[in-house]
């Protein structure tokens, strides 16, 4: 690209170009790590065919083109149980203790049991993954994810030793020390040219390849509400020792992969904010910050609130569509799962506490002066003036909202207008924005955002 053309690029385009220039090399290194994993998992499959190897890695290939931080990745291991009668249950009528771990019958939203019918009991009685329930229970028993984890850990340990002894792996390729820790996670650390790569190995039971229950005919929006039939066909992965949890990664990919069919910049914004996060927004190590899955969820909500192509015609407008939703979620400390809004994605994992205050302040600072983070060379002079986030906007973002009155396009349009990135000509939409503007202005003034 010529110097004159590069100089004419916007801050966002220039930053994105810098990200993409190093992407291919990173992907090559990650694929080498994946080859190591495939070697290990292939040995696991040879020892126990219930643990499949997904060589296609469709989800990973899609995310590799968008992600910029490759310090941690997930690798799904599909489970093959060959029992179509297995069913998902949200509750259990019997309290149990399995392997010394008590099962709480009141589960979190999105966490489920994998039940074995009484008709299929015979084929599971000798299984090392099965926990039998009393005869008075509605089902024969459960497939316990904690048992799946334990079996897979031992298989991985044996597979790594086998591969090293047979020179399929080089010494130091894999650090398996984290396999000795108890818990719902299986983590390996792989040698990588850039820095060690943590890989979370996730057993997943894939229920269907048909996402018609999730994706509408134009593949741009999910039907509402999500039916119980759709949930019964949703993938599940390990959650707690006794509970599985819903995994929406595949239908999420189905929706996002065609997000920019109209030539918009939705996925570019996702890529850019992921890199800004890794460079500028991460809190101290003892706390948890934003991850790629959070940005994917934010983008889905932004696509819902801003379905028009004119909202995504340029990078700046697209980035701010995501930013206003992200700021609102951080302010409320609640990022609803797009498929099951009752689930708070910020609290979905069993990880260190999320540092909302630090992350919110950093995202707010970026929204007010993005060029400071987007500057990639000292010759790119920062503008003398930048957006001022006044107290009205700050209080507007903090309005409490138990009834969901401020979780819609009109509310976010008000904030976009205050950020001076609205650029919408639709008369009806402008009218709706002005209506909620007057309502929120009165609320902020009269009640000081205490409502």
């Amino acid at each position: 690209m010529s110097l004159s053309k590069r100089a004419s690029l916007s801050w966002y385009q220039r930053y994105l170009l810098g990200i993409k220039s190093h992407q291919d090399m990173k992907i090559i290194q990650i694929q080498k790590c994946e080859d190591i994993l495939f070697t290990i998992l292939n040995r696991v499959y040879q020892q126990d065919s219930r643990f499949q190897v997904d060589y296609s890695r469709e989800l990973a290939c899609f995310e590799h083109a968008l992600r910029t931080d490759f310090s941690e990745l997930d690798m799904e291991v599909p489970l093959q149980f060959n029992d179509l009668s297995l069913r998902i249950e949200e509750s259990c009528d019997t309290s149990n203790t399995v392997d010394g771990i008590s099962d709480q019958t009141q589960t979190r939203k999105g966490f489920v049991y994998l039940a074995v019918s009484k008709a299929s009991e015979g084929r599971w009685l000798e299984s090392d993954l099965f926990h039998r329930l009393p005869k008075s229970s509605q089902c024969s028993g459960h497939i316990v994810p904690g048992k799946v984890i334990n079996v897979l850990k031992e298989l991985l340990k044996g597979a790594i030793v086998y591969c090293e002894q047979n020179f399929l792996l080089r010494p130091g390729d894999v650090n398996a020390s984290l396999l000795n820790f108890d818990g719902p996670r299986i983590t390996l650390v792989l040698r990588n040219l850039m820095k060690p790569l943590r890989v979370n190995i996730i057993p997943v039971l894939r229920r269907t390849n048909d996402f018609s229950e999730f994706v509408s005919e134009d593949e741009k929006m999910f039907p509402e509400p999500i039916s119980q039939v759709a949930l019964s066909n949703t993938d599940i992965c390990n959650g707690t020792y006794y509970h599985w949890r819903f995994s929406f990664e595949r239908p999420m990919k189905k929706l996002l992969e065609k997000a920019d069919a109209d030539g918009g910049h939705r996925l570019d914004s996702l890529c850019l904010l992921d890199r800004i996060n890794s460079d500028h927004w991460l809190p101290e190590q003892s706390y948890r910050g934003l991850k790629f899955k959070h940005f994917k969820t934010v983008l889905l909500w932004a696509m819902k609130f801003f379905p028009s192509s004119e909202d995504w015609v340029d990078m700046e407008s697209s980035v701010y569509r995501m930013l206003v939703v992200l700021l609102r979620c951080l302010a409320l400390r609640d990022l609803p799962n797009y498929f099951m809004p009752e689930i708070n994605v910020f609290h979905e994992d069993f990880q260190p506490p999320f540092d909302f205050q630090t992350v919110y302040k950093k995202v707010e600072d970026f929204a007010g002066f993005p060029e400071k983070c987007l500057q990639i060379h000292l010759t790119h002079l920062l503008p003398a003036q930048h957006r001022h986030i006044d107290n009205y906007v700050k209080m507007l973002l903090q309005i409490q909202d138990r009834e969901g009155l401020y979780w819609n396009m009109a509310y976010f349009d008000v904030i976009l207008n205050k950020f001076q990135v609205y650029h919408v000509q639709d008369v009806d939409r402008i009218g709706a924005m002005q209506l909620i503007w007057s309502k929120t202005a009165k609320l902020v003034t009269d009640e000081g955002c205490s409502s």
Side-chain angles (χ1 to χ4, degrees), residues 334-358:
D334 183 10
L335 173 57
N337 182 297
Y338 192 82
F339 307 88
M340 294 184 68
E342 307 94 319
I343 299 173
N344 185 352
V345 181
F346 285 143
H347 298 149
E348 200 170 26
D349 292 334
F350 298 91
Q351 296 290 308
F354 197 104
D355 192 348
F356 289 101
Q357 187 174 356
T358 298

Side-chain angles (χ1 to χ4, degrees), residues 189-392:
V189 180
L190 304 184
R191 179 165 58 189
N192 187 16
L193 193 62
M194 297 174 285
K195 58 182 178 180
L197 176 68
R198 291 172 61 96
V199 179
N200 303 312
I201 297 178
I202 303 173
V204 57
L205 184 61
R206 293 178 176 171
R207 307 284 289 174
T208 182
N209 288 317
D210 177 16
F211 301 112
S212 58
E213 290 283 349
F214 293 89
V215 186
S216 60
E217 292 183 2
D218 62 4
E219 296 187 343
K220 287 188 176 182
M221 197 50 56
F222 292 88
E224 297 178 3
I226 294 176
S227 69
Q228 201 63 34
V229 174
L231 284 179
S232 68
N233 290 325
T234 302
D235 296 347
I236 55 174
C237 62
N238 62 299
T240 66
Y241 190 88
Y242 207 89
H243 305 108
W244 301 83
R245 65 180 177 88
F246 291 121
S247 172
F248 298 103
E249 293 297 326
R250 290 199 298 156
M252 187 180 292
K253 168 186 172 290
K254 180 73 173 177
L255 186 63
L256 290 178
E257 64 185 354
K258 295 184 180 180
D260 288 327
D262 59 359
H265 294 277
R266 300 165 184 83
L267 298 181
D268 285 342
S269 301
L270 174 64
C271 179
L272 185 143
L273 290 180
D274 179 56
R275 181 53 179 267
I276 291 291
N277 176 60
S278 62
D279 286 349
H280 301 283
W281 294 350
L282 294 180
E284 297 178 3
Q285 289 186 352
S286 57
Y287 290 92
R288 188 162 50 98
L290 294 167
K291 292 188 175 183
F292 188 67
K293 69 173 184 179
H294 298 133
F295 290 106
K296 289 194 297 183
T297 304
V298 166
L299 178 56
L300 285 177
W301 283 112
M303 289 165 56
K304 174 183 174 62
F305 296 135
F306 309 112
S308 173
S309 297
E310 68 176 322
D311 284 290
W312 307 92
V313 293
D314 62 79
M315 278 294 296
E316 182 183 52
S317 297
S318 301
V319 167
Y320 272 88
R321 264 66 182 169
M322 288 189 63
L323 277 178
V324 293
V325 176
L326 177 59
L327 281 168
R328 180 62 170 158
C329 293
L330 288 170
L332 296 181
R333 303 189 174 193
D334 183 10
L335 173 57
N337 182 297
Y338 192 82
F339 307 88
M340 294 184 68
E342 307 94 319
I343 299 173
N344 185 352
V345 181
F346 285 143
H347 298 149
E348 200 170 26
D349 292 334
F350 298 91
Q351 296 290 308
F354 197 104
D355 192 348
F356 289 101
Q357 187 174 356
T358 298
V359 176
Y360 179 87
K361 184 64 171 65
K362 291 182 177 184
V363 177
E364 183 184 73
D365 289 345
F366 176 82
F369 194 12
E371 293 85 359
K372 188 175 181 180
C373 293
L374 297 172
Q375 185 184 36
I376 56 178
H377 196 276
L378 291 177
T379 58
H380 303 149
L381 299 179
L382 296 174
Q385 295 182 336
H386 54 86
R387 293 180 178 85
H388 175 64
I389 303 180
D390 58 28
N391 288 332
Y392 173 80

Side-chain angles (χ1 to χ4, degrees), residues 41-103:
L41 291 175
N42 182 59
R43 177 59 184 173
V44 169
Y45 172 73
Q46 292 173 4
Q47 297 297 110
D48 192 333
S49 61
R50 293 175 298 183
F51 300 94
Q52 306 277 299
V53 186
D54 180 8
Y55 290 104
S56 69
R57 294 285 282 142
E58 291 183 4
L59 178 61
C61 292
F62 169 69
E63 291 194 352
H64 286 171
L66 300 172
R67 293 188 67 166
T68 58
D69 178 20
F70 290 104
S71 59
E72 185 174 2
L73 290 178
D74 294 337
M75 169 74 83
E76 289 190 349
V77 176
L79 300 172
Q80 180 63 265
F81 290 153
N82 293 319
D83 187 352
L84 297 178
S85 69
L86 293 175
R87 67 179 185 271
I88 289 174
E89 293 182 347
E90 294 188 6
S91 61
C92 176
D93 54 2
T94 306
S95 180
N96 294 280
T97 298
V98 185
D99 300 333
I101 298 174
S102 178
D103 163 40

